[in-house]
């Protein structure tokens, strides 16, 4: 698995993380870009990217929605856009990620897309090395995504004619893209066009700020076993040292799982930076960003992770070193696979996760026998509650990742139609919530989950989500889950707060800290009291930072590899002096490999972006 700056997607990620809200009538031309005037598709083989946010449950819908799926004749009616063929085609899409995602996408959502557009998706997976190999060898898929360091190659791909300009295709087949993501188009013209002022790449997960909505459980940070915390009396915490002491007390009281396995408060996994750039920095109010940097959520200050001795990144490594020296960091966390990490969380062997998408669920309840076993963000020890509210981000995930149509694509018009559908509210609701009439419907004038989708406590719920496919194509989704639909509700109805689906643990935490129903209410109160940090401030310069040189990108990849190869030396340092010595050597080694020069280049790009942002107005 590659070392990525923003998982997504997160963080986009992931990162994305976080770890991170319009459904239109079926006759709406903005979601059905076809018309009664037929036009044959051009065969053009030579032409050539860390949220759990919610809306208020009592918000009245603006309009009822129609069924998300229509037959071809209905899709073609009442629109000013050319009809495209509906004969079956298959698009090969490089999406990165694990091999478990590769191959023909055969989910409920995939079948709806096939029914509506006649398009089957064949996913190619792998890391940025695989993507670069395809690019260098000219063995291009139909659609490529800029995973990891591939984002540094956007200009060379444009120069080499490996990706095609999208402007004319967007004008003809992309009304949703123009309506919902105009700021993203302007940003891509400036940062990913090889100075041509054209659109070649489309970002994902464009979002709108909405302080009136908040997440039920937050998104990224430290998520701790609520049942065990309650079991030691739920002591008040005011700082990270209190948090470490509480975790030590929990581990001492609960040293083994039900089946006798040794427990640890903290763990991680090898092969990528994610465990070290997500939980602690976000808990302190910093987001992971481009080129191995972090951005302060309130000031917009940039921290250069590898070489800032007192920066938030090294502070986080020091935190895990403290945990290790207290005997509460899992030694296997240095090298184990992410699947092993998740299994330990779900079995009860590890007490803290890095994001709200690892909360244990029914598996943890079953394995522990505790009906209030859940990993939740505990109030008090850390100030950061990032992604508590939907954030303003007209550029979405920018190039982390973005997607483009390659010169190998024989169906650029139909590919753009797919992009357009996935950037609209009908397609967005399908991607995140499932099929209307099966997974959700309008009930008493409001869109609500129905059927199996409405029963997250069902033991087979996770398997059902996989069969529907709601967690896959967010890598191609133009809008974020929390994006408000025309009915006033988020595209992802699963993140709507339904009192009937609030868990026992969530309600207990809320009431323990003076709220009545769910943890988000506690975090919201802390923010309003000035005791919590959120990331609702939008810093326009972040959208206009150009890609660094290939040399800088490669230097930082080597730095990431160096860090992961030596992470045990920092986490397992025997005392403060040993930690400082290992840290100093690491920084010296980073600078010897040119990281200081790489950061100098990126710092100049940031300064240029700040000046350029003063001259641009982004509409959304």
């Amino acid at each position: 698995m590659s070392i990525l700056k923003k998982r997504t997607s997160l963080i986009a990620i992931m990162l994305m993380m976080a770890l991170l809200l319009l459904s239109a009538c079926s006759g709406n031309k903005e979601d059905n870009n076809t018309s009664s005037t037929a036009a044959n598709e051009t065969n053009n083989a030579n032409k050539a990217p860390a949220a759990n946010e919610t809306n208020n449950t009592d918000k009245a819908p603006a309009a009822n929605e129609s069924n998300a799926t229509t037959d071809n004749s209905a899709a073609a009616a009442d629109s000013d856009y050319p009809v495209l063929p509906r004969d079956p085609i298959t698009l090969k899409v490089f999406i990165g990620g694990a091999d478990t995602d590769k191959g023909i996408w055969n989910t409920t959502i995939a079948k709806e897309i096939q029914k509506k557009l006649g398009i089957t998706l064949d996913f190619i997976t792998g890391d940025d090395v695989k993507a670069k190999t395809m690019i260098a060898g000219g063995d291009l898929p139909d659609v490529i995504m800029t995973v990891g360091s591939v984002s540094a190659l956007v200009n060379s791909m444009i120069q080499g004619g490996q990706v095609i300009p999208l402007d004319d295709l967007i004008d003809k087949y992309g009304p949703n893209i123009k309506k919902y993501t105009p700021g993203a188009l302007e940003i891509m013209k400036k940062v990913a066009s090889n100075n041509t002022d054209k659109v070649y790449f489309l970002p994902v997960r464009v979002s709108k700020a909405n302080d009136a909505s908040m997440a039920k459980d937050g998104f990224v940070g430290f998520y701790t076993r609520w049942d065990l915390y309650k079991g030691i009396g739920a002591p008040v915490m005011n700082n990270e040292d209190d948090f470490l002491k509480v975790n030590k007390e929990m581990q001492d009281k609960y040293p083994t799982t039900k089946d006798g396995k040794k427990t640890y408060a903290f763990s991680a996994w090898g092969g990528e930076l994610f465990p070290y750039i997500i939980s602690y920095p976000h808990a302190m109010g910093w987001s992971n960003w481009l080129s191995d940097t972090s951005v302060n959520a309130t000031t917009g200050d940039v921290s250069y992770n590898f070489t800032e001795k007192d920066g938030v990144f090294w502070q986080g490594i020091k935190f895990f070193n403290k945990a290790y020296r207290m005997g509460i960091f899992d030694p296997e966390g240095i090298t184990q696979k992410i699947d092993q990490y998740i299994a330990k969380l779900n079995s009860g062997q590890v007490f803290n996760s890095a994001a709200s998408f690892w909360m244990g669920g029914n598996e943890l309840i079953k394995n522990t026998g505790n009906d209030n076993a859940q990993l939740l963000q505990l109030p008090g020890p850390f100030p950061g509650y990032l992604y508590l509210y939907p954030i303003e981000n007209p550029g979405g995930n920018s190039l982390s990742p973005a997607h483009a149509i390659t010169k190998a694509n024989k169906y650029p018009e139909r590919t753009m139609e797919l992009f357009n559908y996935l950037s609209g509210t009908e397609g967005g609701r399908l991607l995140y919530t499932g099929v209307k009439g099966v997974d959700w419907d309008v009930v008493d004038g409001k869109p609500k989950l129905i059927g199996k989708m409405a029963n997250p406590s069902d033991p087979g719920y996770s398997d059902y989500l996989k069969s529907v496919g709601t967690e896959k194509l967010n890598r191609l989704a133009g809008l974020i889950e929390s994006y408000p639909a025309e009915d006033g509700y988020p595209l992802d109805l699963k993140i709507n707060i339904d009192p009937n689906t609030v868990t026992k643990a969530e309600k207990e935490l809320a009431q323990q800290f003076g709220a009545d129903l769910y943890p988000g209410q506690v975090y919201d109160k802390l923010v309003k009291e000035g005791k919590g940090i959120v990331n609702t401030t939008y810093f326009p310069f972040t959208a206009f930072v150009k890609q660094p040189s290939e040399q800088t990108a490669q230097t930082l990849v080597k730095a990431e590899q160096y860090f992961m190869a030596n992470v045990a030396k920092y986490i397992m340092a025997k005392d403060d002096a040993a930690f400082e010595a290992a840290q100093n050597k690491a920084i010296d080694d980073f600078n010897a490999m040119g990281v200081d020069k790489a950061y100098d280049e990126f710092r100049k790009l940031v300064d240029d972006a700040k000046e350029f942002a003063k001259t641009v107005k982004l509409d959304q």
Side-chain angles (χ1 to χ4, degrees):
M1 188 177 293
S2 64
I3 301 171
L4 305 180
K5 314 301 180 296
K6 289 185 176 181
R7 283 282 301 266
T8 47
S9 228
L10 312 126
I11 230 207
I13 164 231
M14 251 187 204
L15 206 84
M16 346 294 176
M17 272 107 163
L19 66 222
L20 313 168
L21 289 158
L22 284 153
S23 212
C25 297
S26 60
N28 188 334
K29 69 182 181 182
E30 289 161 348
D31 276 322
N32 300 292
N33 50 12
T34 53
S35 76
S36 58
T37 303
N40 292 329
E41 183 181 44
T42 302
N43 185 333
N44 192 351
N46 295 320
K47 290 187 179 180
N52 251 350
E53 297 153 349
T54 71
N55 272 38
N56 295 335
T57 57
D58 58 355
K59 185 171 182 178
N64 290 345
E65 298 183 344
S66 65
N67 196 314
T69 60
T70 60
D71 62 27
N72 294 337
S73 60
D78 300 322
S79 174
D80 296 330
Y81 301 97
V83 171
L84 291 174
R86 287 294 181 264
D87 54 300
I89 64 170
T90 297
L91 297 177
K92 291 186 176 294
V93 181
F94 178 79
I95 60 169
D99 283 347
T100 52
D101 293 336
K102 73 178 179 181
I104 298 293
W105 198 37
N106 190 28
T107 65
T108 304
I109 293 174
K111 293 173 183 176
E112 290 297 304
I113 292 174
Q114 290 169 348
K115 185 191 303 183
K116 183 176 184 66
L117 301 177
I119 295 174
T120 295
L121 298 175
D122 184 0
F123 291 135
I124 301 171
T125 58
D127 58 13
D128 46 0
V129 174
K130 181 173 181 177
K132 289 179 178 180
T133 300
M134 289 191 299
I135 294 168
D139 183 21
L140 296 170
D142 298 303
V143 175
I144 192 162
M145 302 191 71
T146 56
V147 299
S149 59
V150 175
S151 59
L153 301 180
V154 295
N155 287 337
S156 63
M157 282 191 280
I158 294 169
Q159 292 170 3
Q162 293 176 299
V163 293
I164 68 172
L166 305 179
D167 305 75
D168 292 343
L169 290 169
I170 292 170
D171 283 342
K172 186 174 282 190
Y173 305 105
N176 290 334
I177 295 170
K178 294 168 70 174
K179 177 178 180 179
Y180 298 116
T181 64
L185 297 179
E186 291 304 309
I187 290 168
M188 288 296 102
K189 288 179 182 179
K190 305 303 180 186
V191 303
S193 72
N194 193 36
N195 296 318
T196 64
D197 207 39
K198 293 182 180 295
V199 177
Y200 286 86
F201 294 85
L202 293 175
V204 297
R205 301 174 66 76
V206 169
S207 62
K208 279 186 175 181
N210 184 1
D211 289 350
S213 299
M214 60 183 166
K216 183 174 68 170
D217 295 302
F219 185 46
V220 284
F222 287 106
Y223 281 70
T224 308
R225 282 279 296 277
W226 166 256
D227 55 325
L228 306 187
Y229 175 65
K230 184 179 180 182
I232 62 169
V236 174
M237 296 179 287
N238 296 304
N239 52 55
E240 65 181 71
D241 287 333
D242 288 345
F243 185 60
L244 287 168
K245 291 175 183 176
V246 161
N247 275 278
K248 176 75 162 97
E249 187 175 348
M250 287 164 49
Q251 187 173 313
D252 287 346
K253 185 170 182 177
Y254 306 101
T256 60
T257 62
K258 284 178 63 177
D259 57 356
K261 294 179 180 178
K262 179 171 174 51
T263 60
Y264 288 97
F266 302 97
S267 191
W269 65 92
E272 62 176 329
L273 285 171
F274 188 98
Y276 309 112
I277 61 175
I278 297 297
S279 52
Y280 185 89
H282 283 80
M284 297 301 292
W286 292 76
S287 296
N288 55 299
W289 197 40
L290 305 171
S291 297
D292 293 300
T293 64
S294 302
V295 176
N296 187 280
T298 55
T299 66
D301 291 342
V302 179
S303 179
Y304 295 82
N305 292 347
F306 291 136
T307 58
E308 286 190 11
K309 186 173 182 178
D310 297 321
V312 69
F313 174 76
W314 279 109
Q315 290 176 20
I317 305 305
K318 179 67 172 178
F319 172 88
F320 287 121
N321 172 247
K322 289 180 181 178
Y324 176 80
R325 285 154 56 188
M326 294 171 69
I328 58 175
F329 184 92
D330 175 15
E332 294 179 351
I334 301 296
T335 57
Q336 69 187 356
K337 304 296 186 183
I338 187 172
D339 291 345
Q340 295 171 288
Y341 168 82
I342 295 172
K344 288 180 178 181
L345 292 172
N346 292 340
S347 70
Q349 196 176 353
V350 172
F351 299 164
N352 285 271
S353 80
S356 62
F357 39 86
W358 295 315
M359 300 174 75
N362 296 316
E363 191 173 350
L364 179 62
I365 291 174
K366 176 183 176 182
N367 289 330
T368 61
N370 298 338
D371 61 358
N372 65 341
Q374 189 172 350
L375 295 147
L376 296 172
Q377 191 171 12
L378 303 180
F382 300 101
Y385 300 98
L386 306 194
Y387 304 98
L388 175 61
Y389 314 113
I391 65 173
E392 186 73 17
N393 190 2
N397 282 8
S398 188
L399 287 168
S400 300
H403 47 279
I405 299 176
T406 75
K407 69 176 183 180
N409 191 316
K410 297 180 180 180
Y411 310 100
E413 292 87 353
R414 293 183 68 179
T415 304
M416 180 54 66
E417 187 180 26
L418 172 68
F419 290 173
N420 180 70
Y421 183 62
L422 301 182
S423 296
T425 58
E426 178 186 320
R429 181 65 58 80
L430 173 67
L431 283 183
Y432 292 125
T433 303
V435 180
K436 187 178 181 186
V438 177
D439 299 307
W440 70 278
D441 215 331
V442 178
V443 180
D444 297 327
K446 299 178 181 179
K448 292 187 176 181
L449 298 175
I450 61 173
K452 293 182 179 180
M453 194 64 72
N455 292 287
S457 61
D458 187 281
Y461 183 71
S462 294
D463 290 336
Y464 182 70
L465 289 183
K466 292 178 183 178
S467 71
V468 176
T470 55
E471 299 176 357
K472 176 67 71 66
L473 264 197
N474 55 13
R475 302 179 200 178
L476 285 172
L479 308 174
I480 201 167
E481 298 97 324
S482 58
Y483 199 97
E486 291 172 357
D487 55 24
Y489 292 85
L491 296 179
D492 187 353
L493 295 177
K494 299 189 300 299
I495 61 176
N496 234 19
I497 298 172
D498 182 349
N500 295 321
T501 63
V502 174
T503 66
K504 181 178 181 180
E506 290 166 341
K507 191 168 184 178
E508 286 180 354
L509 184 150
Q511 295 178 349
Q512 175 76 29
F513 291 95
D516 65 324
L517 187 59
Y518 59 93
Q521 295 171 319
V522 177
Y523 313 148
D524 178 60
K525 183 172 182 289
L526 290 170
V527 171
K528 289 182 167 72
E529 292 174 349
K531 300 175 182 178
I533 296 172
V534 291
N535 55 333
T536 53
T537 301
Y538 177 62
F539 301 103
F541 79 87
T542 58
F544 296 107
V545 177
K546 293 185 178 181
Q547 292 301 301
S549 65
E550 176 69 7
Q551 181 178 351
T552 283
Q554 288 304 317
T555 296
L556 292 175
V557 167
K558 291 177 182 177
E560 294 169 354
Q561 294 169 343
Y562 172 92
F563 177 85
M564 293 308 303
N566 291 277
V567 64
K569 297 176 182 177
Y570 322 127
I571 303 294
M572 297 181 175
K574 64 179 182 179
D575 53 31
D576 288 344
F579 179 87
E580 184 175 10
Q583 180 190 31
N584 288 339
K585 184 180 187 309
I587 293 174
D588 288 343
D589 289 346
F590 284 138
N591 290 334
M593 67 178 71
V595 173
D596 54 347
K597 294 180 177 62
Y599 278 154
D600 285 344
E601 179 187 333
F602 188 73
R603 190 176 286 109
K604 176 64 165 56
L605 294 174
V606 170
D607 291 340
D608 291 344
K610 289 180 178 180
E611 290 302 312
F612 182 80
K614 296 175 183 178
T615 70
V616 178
K617 183 180 185 301
L618 295 178
D619 295 322
Q620 183 173 358

